[in-house]
Amino acid sequence: MLEVTTDWYLTLSAILFSIGFFGMMIRRNALIMFMCIELMLNAVNLTFISASRHFGQIDGQVAVFFVLVVAAAEVVVGLAIIVSIFRKQSSASVDVLNLSRG
Amino acid sequence: MFEVILFLIPSSLIIIGALIVIFAKNPVHNAMGLVMTLVSIAIIYITLNATFVAMVQMLVYAGAVMTLFLFVIMMIGVDKKEQSKESIKGQTFLVSGVFLILISTLVYVAISSEFRWDLWFDAVEFTVEGTPQLIAGTLFTSWIFPFEIISILLIVATAAAIALAYDTQRKKEDA
């Protein structure tokens, strides 16, 4: 009988994290890159929750809240930066951002 | 069997949504793919007995964060002509190689029995229900110090976002 074990959730989380990494590396639109960061953070949250069930501990679910708050703060600040850059450069592409000669 | 179906349908939706996020050309479509992924992850949380976290995931991620994303897409416009030329030579080829190494390593770690991640704790038979009472009881006792710090972080982030997005140029024109 096929049974859903913790390994299945961990595998799904690994695949999701890798897809997020891939997107982060190949896209140049700063907004899309932020979405890929969200994908990776969600993969980590999935790992926390499945470990929480595996060990019967609630702390994993509490840790997800902290990841959630940090993700929300990061999105707020990041999108504000994108908007203020867009006012100057009228583009959201990261290739245009060479103000500090990077 | 029902349990397996309840895992496979949301997980395939998660993968499809993630692929839409990284391959769609229109940013609004990317955002919709991300919504699909986040909602499916909430369903997975429910199957993992984390009901409260699933609700918070729906409210905060699929609700607030995605609204913020769509709002910014509205503000800066849909930029379809993302230049496809590589600024770094062979970028896609290199990233594909790193991607393959990363995904094979992570999946191997996840499924191999050599990596004993239950070496320190034993897997338990009983399941822990992620009810609001249980989570709050842990959050406000043993996690109270991180909780206070994270509240300061939220205030700082809000203030920083206002300071960053504030249009000083327009202020001068108005005056």
Side-chain angles (χ1 to χ4, degrees):
Chain A
M1 192 61 205
L2 214 52
E3 198 189 345
V4 182
T5 55
T6 310
D7 296 352
W8 294 36
Y9 295 103
L10 290 181
T11 310
L12 174 65
S13 164
I15 293 170
L16 188 59
F17 188 91
S18 308
I19 291 175
F21 169 81
F22 186 67
M24 173 88 195
M25 287 293 157
I26 60 165
R27 296 302 296 255
R28 283 179 199 77
N29 190 333
L31 265 171
I32 313 294
M33 290 169 76
F34 260 100
M35 291 184 195
C36 293
I37 293 176
E38 294 305 311
L39 284 183
M40 288 195 274
L41 286 170
N42 269 286
V44 174
N45 281 353
L46 191 59
T47 314
F48 267 125
I49 299 265
S50 46
S52 167
R53 191 192 65 160
H54 189 81
F55 298 131
Q57 302 270 330
I58 198 72
D59 297 75
Q61 300 188 15
V62 177
V64 167
F65 279 95
F66 292 107
V67 177
L68 221 83
V69 172
V70 171
E74 169 243 327
V75 164
V76 166
V77 174
L79 290 182
I81 291 173
I82 291 176
V83 167
S84 66
I85 286 171
F86 187 79
R87 284 213 190 93
K88 282 201 174 64
Q89 314 256 14
S90 64
S91 164
S93 173
V94 289
D95 279 350
V96 187
L97 308 177
N98 51 6
L99 215 62
S100 51
R101 303 280 173 267
Chain B
M1 202 60 220
F2 182 67
E3 196 189 10
V4 175
I5 293 169
L6 214 56
F7 174 80
L8 286 180
I9 291 175
S11 58
S12 49
L13 285 178
I14 287 173
I15 306 288
I16 293 168
L19 290 175
I20 291 173
V21 170
I22 66 171
F23 287 124
K25 291 285 173 229
N26 189 335
V28 180
H29 296 169
N30 295 74
M32 288 303 127
L34 188 54
V35 169
M36 190 164 123
T37 304
L38 297 175
V39 171
S40 310
I41 286 178
I43 296 171
I44 292 274
Y45 286 171
I46 292 173
T47 66
L48 282 168
N49 284 324
T51 43
F52 185 61
V53 178
M55 290 306 132
V56 172
Q57 167 97 358
M58 294 286 284
L59 284 174
V60 174
Y61 260 125
V65 170
M66 289 320 297
T67 310
L68 206 64
F69 266 113
L70 287 173
F71 188 66
V72 171
I73 291 171
M74 257 162 53
M75 256 178 103
I76 72 176
V78 175
D79 184 19
K80 276 184 193 162
K81 48 169 183 49
E82 178 181 338
Q83 64 271 46
S84 51
K85 77 165 178 62
E86 298 172 333
S87 51
I88 305 167
K89 222 173 173 191
Q91 188 184 11
T92 312
F93 178 72
L94 271 175
V95 171
S96 303
V98 176
F99 168 74
L100 285 178
I101 294 170
L102 182 72
I103 195 168
S104 50
T105 311
L106 287 179
V107 170
Y108 174 74
V109 167
I111 63 174
S112 70
S113 55
E114 287 172 40
F115 180 73
R116 293 293 304 277
W117 72 303
D118 49 358
L119 205 64
W120 300 282
F121 303 100
D122 289 326
V124 288
E125 288 302 314
F126 68 93
T127 52
V128 54
E129 281 285 339
T131 56
Q133 287 95 332
L134 199 52
I135 288 175
T138 316
L139 186 63
F140 294 121
T141 52
S142 51
W143 290 77
I144 185 70
F145 192 59
F147 179 78
E148 296 293 339
I149 290 177
I150 212 108
S151 63
I152 295 172
L153 175 72
L154 263 186
I155 294 285
V156 170
T158 315
I162 294 170
L164 280 169
Y166 191 69
D167 199 342
T168 45
Q169 214 63 38
R170 189 178 295 164
K171 181 80 188 328
K172 274 178 204 147
E173 284 165 17
D174 287 347

